[in-house]
């Protein structure tokens, strides 16, 4: 039963390595999330908890790979941008794509209880995600990619907000759809304002802009540490890129401490603080540091 | 904020489609499972429950894709063989590799409690898996691939069984390793027999041969249905392939009912029977049939 | 001016290796041959000399690679089938595709004078060819590929033969095209027969079936040697494959001597005989054997 | 004999498209040119005519593709740099690589007589070239690629110049090799100077730096036209890139007329002038303009 007679089959593995010195975007997409949202009765058009769960899963992926420059999530998708010089798994496509998909999935399930226990929402069946890797050779292409995703959430969220308000007001889904056919952004803004008294620009920024995740130095517990920080900003204009130069340029000075301010209450931050507390309390002494972040509550 | 200005970035997606009419093997591999096993105190060299959990996850993948001809699991890996003519996702590599990895991961987590609750073993941190796709152009190449994996489990399990018996008898890990250096299979058999009274061939067949999963027609609950059935057999010789012609030849008659016999108590079978019972009891009337298999216990 | 500072750029070379154990078809296609035929006033619908020149170029490629099982040419294209086990250039795609294209091109130009001097036809500008590599996993797929090309020459040649006879009879190109619109094969056969007294099946078989090139053992000059032999046969039915088992099965007995018979006067054969004569006459003593086949006439 | 039954085989063609917005370098390499040089008794270490023939072939490729920003040749290799935005053949790898190889080969053969007739050097057998395509995502990577090739010619030419002078002075090849083992550039310069009175920096610049080909506006025959112009310059430093900004930036002003000066006598220029003269003389009225450049002498 010698292995050797069969080992030739290894030669059939063809491991594509992604072009060096180009940005690698790995984008995660929920499989059949329309049904998953319905079965779990997520709020429409946005379920804050479900989005925060996505953010916790995105945080987990970014904690695992320190070569991710920026993460961006909206709806049931998340994009992770690996730096040009990233050498993870020697840039092997299969490894990268499958591992990010798997890690995101397991983190999503792992954090479920943390997010949904207060709503007593049990997971009826396990979610899954696919992933793809896309290369961008220039910084401009990368920015345009991220702009594309942020423009997408704007278009969809404006539509969905108007749609579900129309439905809430009594229209059937079909009638609401018909009402919106051919309307421009300005029309939808007008419907929201005149019919429902809603100023779209006052809608929660996370719904309108999606969530940006960046690794930042923060002051936590009296000392400077690396946290994955959520931001809710426009990234299409130049301001974002001027404010966070380290995204495009690894060598940009990033030792300035980032002030968490009002983001301190974001679940992503609360979780990292809690893990730190537990670690300090010596509860996890035996665990390697990096992985401890994922340990379940001791409760 | 028009999408159109940025949409050109979609052109950078390069979707490789796997060569038609060749076997696609997607192999899942545990990431850092050495540590995962230690943290969760899995038995060595084999933890029956942990292997059954792998089998439940493998079953879930095979329920999702009816184009998988055979699944094969051993240790922390699982291979899924998609038929030559499989058209799933138009054979797109990224989609296939990432989705199988994600689905296997979520199923592994989802079934954890079912397997480990009796041992009161909580998941300390979420596991993850990577995946790769490999093409095999001929039936012979495919058989050699599966033989390679089964020969691998034999070699490893014989080694590990001897190693951990030596350790249990008082040797340090280092001394056990030294004792086994350069030994042949016959030497290890001899150590097991003379020193520990163990006839290796009487070790549980699942440990020695791994688990084969096949879709079969079975009699369950008085009617014929398609079940994912676990087998523990040699697949290197011809006998297996003669007995199960439908693996290589989709058109081979498969309407003969497969007798579950002693496999009736396998967790993979028990689970499918239980889901069926629940479905019959009308508990899942509203759920689409295929997905119901993954619903959590009603308890 | 150290190389080392720049050598990292080599890492950007991504050499795809073609899947092992599958048939590799490299197909050559003339670039802009419509114009090339017009400029050189090739006969329509078929120019025997031009086709023989293609055959000489095809022969040259097959002499260079002993891993080609069969060559097939028609119109301005030529297919070369590398055996499943071919290891040429480690099956690197770029190398294989570019080198076959280059070699075919140079052979086409090199043999030009041999073919066209009698017609005093000078090459007005150099021709060029592109190439692609396609993998076929099974023998059946490969046979279907070759059948596809041979069915293609049938369809095109029947059309072209009818078209150019109509034009020769006085119709404009446009009128001939209109006359043939929507006609079936049987209609074209009927036009040829009733209007021009031509029985299509009596047209030269090379025009109707294309040219097959096989490496064969022949008796030349009193001893058995390997020649590239042209055949003009149907390869869609089974007869061809029964008669030439070595095409699909490298191990099939091929030491039977192939009788050239009426093919002795084919330019491809005449050329190989002539090279042999010259070699025997000691004219090429200093040249390596393989390459000598391409030496120009001593005249 | 319907095509349709077999046409499914087209699905097996997998056409890789090269990543958008990245530089494509197609590099041609002579196959077995060591032997080709010997058989044709090319001068060592450099044969000016043979290099000029390479330049004429390079010119032909650049005339065919107006998306080539720069060509660079040395020894038996030539690199063609397609612009980031090049859309030739939709950037299909097989097409691009094979066609450039074929075109370069045919041009090399076509111009042979023009170059070698004065030496009465007949082509003994046809040369061939392979090609590969390599992507470079940034301008810096591209410059480093070209620097790598120019540093290579320097290292090789210094070695070869010293080597062949040693051989000419009476050393055997083996002794010359031994003499140079472990020597630095400065040592070789010293040998050349002290032993042979040669100042390496006075060696012909084409031998030391290779040939750069650029499309330029030149004054020819009283009007401005686009010519492929040979340059012999250092391209490792910044000066070259400042002087020729249009290489990296398509939009850089290039309407300034490039003065041919001493390059007027380069075969590449002489050929283009001659074609123009012939065209003016009406000899090629019926030929499309682009292709006319390759027409043979009227003689």
């Amino acid at each position: 039963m010698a292995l050797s007679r069969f080992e030739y089959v290894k030669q059939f593995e063809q491991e594509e390595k992604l072009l060096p010195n180009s940005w690698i975007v790995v984008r995660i997409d929920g499989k059949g999330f329309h049904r998953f949202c319905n079965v779990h009765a997520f709020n429409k058009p946005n379920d804050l908890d479900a989005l925060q769960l996505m953010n916790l899963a995105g945080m987990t992926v970014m904690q695992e790979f320190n070569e991710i420059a920026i993460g961006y999530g909206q709806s049931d998708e998340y994009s992770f941008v690996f730096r040009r010089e990233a050498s993870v798994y020697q840039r092997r496509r299969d490894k990268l794509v499958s591992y990010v998909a798997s890690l995101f999935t397991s983190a999503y399930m792992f954090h479920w209880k943390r997010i949904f226990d207060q709503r007593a929402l049990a997971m009826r069946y396990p979610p899954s995600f696919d992933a793809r890797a896309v290369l961008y050779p220039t910084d401009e292409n990368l920015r345009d990619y991220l702009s594309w995703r942020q423009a997408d959430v704007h278009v969809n969220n404006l539509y969905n907000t108007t749609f579900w308000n129309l439905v809430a007001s009594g229209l059937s889904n079909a009638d609401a759809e018909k009402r919106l056919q051919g309307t421009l952004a300005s029309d939808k803004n007008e419907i929201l304002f005149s019919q429902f008294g809603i100023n779209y620009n006052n809608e929660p920024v996370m719904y309108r802009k999606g969530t940006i995740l960046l690794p930042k130095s923060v002051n936590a517990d009296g000392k400077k540490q690396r946290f994955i920080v959520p931001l809710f900003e426009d990234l299409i204009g130049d301001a974002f890129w001027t404010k966070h130069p380290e995204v495009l340029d690894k060598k940009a000075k990033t030792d300035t401490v980032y002030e968490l301010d009002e983001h301190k209450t974001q679940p992503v931050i609360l979780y990292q603080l809690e893990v730190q507390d537990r670690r300090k309390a010596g509860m996890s002494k035996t665990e390697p540091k990096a992985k401890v972040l994922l340990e379940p509550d001791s409760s």
Side-chain angles (χ1 to χ4, degrees), chain A:
Chain A
M1 216 188 276
L3 274 170
S4 52
R5 179 155 60 99
F6 305 122
E7 265 179 343
Y8 79 92
V9 299
K10 280 203 279 190
Q11 300 163 17
F12 289 72
E13 298 195 15
Q14 301 184 298
E15 286 182 334
E16 188 197 345
K17 292 185 183 173
L18 299 167
L19 187 69
N21 201 27
S22 40
W23 296 99
I24 305 171
V25 173
V26 177
R27 183 169 76 247
I28 296 288
D29 257 302
K31 295 287 296 180
F33 256 55
H34 190 72
R35 175 173 175 267
F36 190 81
C37 294
N38 284 338
V39 166
H40 294 94
F42 287 172
N43 299 324
K44 283 161 179 169
N46 293 287
D47 188 299
L48 179 59
D49 292 329
L51 290 173
Q52 294 290 16
L53 180 53
M54 291 290 288
N55 289 346
L56 281 168
M59 170 204 75
T60 302
V61 171
M62 292 188 65
Q63 284 173 327
E64 175 72 11
F65 297 103
N66 61 12
E67 295 179 313
I68 298 179
I70 182 173
Y72 179 71
Q74 58 119 322
S75 183
D76 63 344
E77 74 172 47
Y78 235 98
S79 298
F80 301 99
V81 180
F82 287 79
R83 294 195 169 283
R84 290 175 172 284
E85 56 277 357
S87 61
V88 54
Y89 305 129
Q90 301 159 72
R91 303 174 78 93
R92 284 153 63 186
R93 178 185 284 271
D94 277 11
K95 279 262 181 202
L96 195 56
V97 155
S98 61
Y99 182 38
V100 172
S102 171
L103 187 59
F104 191 91
T105 305
S106 62
Y108 188 95
M109 293 181 71
F110 194 75
H111 292 297
W112 179 278
K113 279 172 65 106
R114 161 174 299 266
I115 291 289
F116 285 119
D117 259 11
Q118 74 223 45
R119 276 159 70 172
L121 181 53
M123 187 184 288
R124 300 282 311 280
Y125 68 89
S128 52
F129 298 84
D130 66 27
R132 75 197 69 199
V134 190
L135 294 172
Y136 290 105
T138 66
D139 296 356
E140 189 191 2
N141 293 147
L142 176 67
R143 279 189 54 179
D144 287 348
Y145 169 80
L146 290 166
S147 296
W148 177 50
R149 300 322 302 146
Q150 194 169 64
D152 181 80
V153 73
H154 171 76
V155 168
N156 289 334
N157 191 59
L158 177 56
Y159 182 95
N160 291 335
T161 303
T162 320
F163 178 88
W164 289 108
N165 270 292
L166 288 169
V167 168
S169 77
L171 263 61
S172 70
N173 286 17
D175 285 344
E177 205 182 321
K178 196 179 288 175
R179 175 72 186 82
L180 292 175
Q181 215 163 8
T183 55
L184 303 176
S186 54
D187 301 324
K188 295 186 197 80
N189 274 307
E190 181 57 25
I191 293 173
L192 283 175
F193 191 70
S194 62
Q195 212 168 327
F196 308 109
I198 292 172
N199 182 338
Y200 180 72
N201 289 326
N202 295 339
E203 288 292 288
V205 64
M206 187 205 280
Y207 301 169
R208 290 183 291 115
K209 300 288 185 196
T211 300
I212 297 162
L213 294 182
L214 292 184
K216 287 283 187 189
S217 290
V218 301
N219 259 330
D221 219 20
K223 62 174 186 220
K224 204 167 75 171
Q225 356 195 359
R226 194 177 173 270
F227 263 39
I228 305 299
V229 171
L231 287 87
F232 311 98
E233 303 183 12
D234 172 83
L235 52 65
I236 297 177
D238 289 333
F240 174 83
W241 303 93
T242 309
K243 215 162 94 191
H244 309 285
E246 80 279 8
V247 178
L248 294 180
D249 179 7
K250 191 175 68 165
K251 283 166 285 185
K253 248 186 157 352
T254 54
D255 57 357
T256 33
V257 168
Y258 184 81
E259 295 301 335
L260 291 170
D261 296 337
E262 84 274 17
H263 295 148
K264 260 192 185 125
T265 57
Q266 284 290 321
V268 160
I269 298 298
L270 291 177
Y271 180 75
Q272 292 176 84
L273 288 169
E274 182 189 318
V275 169
Q276 193 181 55
D277 283 349
R278 269 191 283 148
R279 195 182 293 142
K280 231 169 72 186
M283 292 176 59
S284 327
K285 257 172 197 152
T286 56
E287 292 300 311
K289 192 174 154 195
K291 296 293 182 180
V292 107
L293 297 176
L294 288 170
E295 270 185 72
D297 301 354
S298 55
S299 58

